[in-house]
Amino acid sequence: ERSLQSRQTWFSALAEGEKDYPRHVLATLIALRDEIERVPDAKIREVLLFSLSPLLDKFSARRDREAPRVSTDTVRKHFIARADRWAESFAAMQGLRWGESELADARQLPWKARTAGALISSPPYPGVYDYTGQHERRARWLAGRQSLEVLSRAAPGPGMVDEQVRTAARHEIGRRGQMDDWRESMRDALWDAARVLVPGSPIYLIVGDGVQAGRAVRADQALFEACDRIPVEVIAGASQERPHFHSRTVDVFQGAARREHLIMLRRQ
């Protein structure tokens, strides 16, 4: 409710050079970010940042579309709905053991051999999403006030990034507009996953077709080929048709459907 009261906030610096949002949407997001920073409980503050983060892409302009035309109340309702969803999820997890997380390259996993019983993942789609572009924006918005101040001094405006984003840009799998040989990157990732998994463990992957370097990448076929020469076998796959998100790449599929796949593999 306080975020609806228009006022200048320290986070107004986020508006410098920002052209991807309508002015009223930008003002609403900045006000929400400011109120989140005022929440004293660190865990609750983090969950509220989880709720804000998807809105930064949902309501922004992209290379292939204009920013959605929405009201201030729409932004507010989406934020509240996501916060409610997180609250329900945490309530459902009461009493369960917390998982452990690591920041690492999927091709160089930090875990010991034969210590995992399954792999469930949605790996990067080949050339579909601008992952580092999304994270560059989020790095600015999700940084705390002191971190944002440091970033602002280094490179003010939407172009400022932190070291994690720079690292991601150098090593990203499936980067849009470039050809990084997605199949080989996935082979490397599955090879290291096989090292960590107990033999016989299942691997479940959700991934969609994409375009890299002007060529269609059929993700299921590429993954099946990636299983050659590594101790991973194909068990089953299921696919559904998906729309073409980028008008400039529709012709690459030559009239064939773009699909999204659920694939089951197994560590041999």
Side-chain angles (χ1 to χ4, degrees):
E1 293 297 328
R2 287 196 303 267
S3 74
L4 296 179
Q5 302 171 15
S6 178
R7 65 179 186 279
Q8 282 293 110
T9 77
W10 194 92
F11 282 92
S12 294
L14 289 166
E16 294 179 13
E18 182 62 75
K19 299 179 181 179
D20 289 341
Y21 301 96
R23 292 181 64 181
H24 68 286
V25 170
L26 180 60
T28 302
L29 292 172
I30 289 174
L32 279 171
R33 181 64 188 90
D34 186 75
E35 287 300 330
I36 291 172
E37 191 71 8
R38 298 169 187 267
V39 174
D41 188 299
K43 289 184 177 180
I44 294 178
R45 190 165 62 244
E46 187 172 68
V47 173
L48 294 175
L49 287 175
F50 290 165
S51 306
L52 177 70
S53 177
L55 306 187
L56 302 176
D57 294 310
K58 185 177 185 66
F59 297 120
S60 71
R62 303 176 189 170
R63 287 189 298 178
D64 55 339
R65 72 162 202 200
E66 295 181 352
R69 297 183 179 181
V70 297
S71 66
T72 296
D73 198 46
T74 299
V75 177
R76 177 174 174 271
K77 286 179 178 178
H78 274 272
F79 175 77
I80 292 174
R82 290 182 180 277
D84 285 343
R85 203 177 308 160
W86 276 109
E88 292 170 2
S89 297
F90 279 111
M93 292 190 293
Q94 288 293 323
L96 299 180
R97 185 172 68 89
W98 282 86
E100 299 175 7
S101 63
E102 295 280 352
L103 178 64
D105 191 322
R107 294 158 291 194
Q108 298 175 338
L109 295 172
W111 297 296
K112 295 180 180 179
R114 302 192 176 195
T115 55
L119 168 62
I120 305 171
S121 178
S122 179
Y125 290 19
V128 175
Y129 298 105
D130 183 10
Y131 293 106
T132 52
Q134 293 177 5
H135 288 300
E136 180 178 345
R137 172 181 288 122
R138 295 182 189 198
R140 299 175 57 239
W141 281 81
L142 302 186
R145 179 169 168 173
Q146 292 180 338
S147 299
L148 183 60
E149 187 176 13
V150 171
L151 289 172
S152 297
R153 288 200 301 268
M160 59 187 179
V161 296
D162 65 6
E163 185 55 37
Q164 288 185 9
V165 176
R166 294 189 185 95
T167 301
R170 290 194 298 268
H171 300 288
E172 182 180 355
I173 295 174
R175 189 171 187 177
R176 185 193 289 181
Q178 297 187 14
M179 192 64 182
D180 68 343
D181 201 336
W182 184 82
R183 180 184 60 188
E184 291 304 311
S185 293
M186 291 305 302
R187 176 180 279 133
D188 291 343
L190 288 171
W191 176 266
D192 210 48
R195 176 186 63 81
V196 175
L197 288 166
V198 174
S201 298
I203 299 172
Y204 299 101
L205 303 176
I206 293 181
V207 66
D209 298 337
V211 176
Q212 284 193 295
R215 298 201 302 269
V217 179
R218 298 290 181 181
D220 56 341
Q221 188 61 40
L223 280 174
F224 297 157
E225 294 171 359
C227 290
D228 293 345
R229 307 191 305 279
I230 63 174
V232 174
E233 61 180 334
V234 177
I235 301 301
S239 305
Q240 285 186 336
E241 292 188 11
R242 289 290 185 264
H244 295 283
F245 294 111
H246 312 116
S247 58
R248 290 173 292 179
T249 63
V250 171
D251 294 338
V252 175
F253 286 89
Q254 299 178 338
R258 175 183 173 272
R259 295 177 180 273
E260 196 162 23
H261 315 277
L262 170 60
I263 296 173
M264 181 184 179
L265 311 171
R266 183 165 58 204
R267 166 68 160 94
Q268 290 180 318

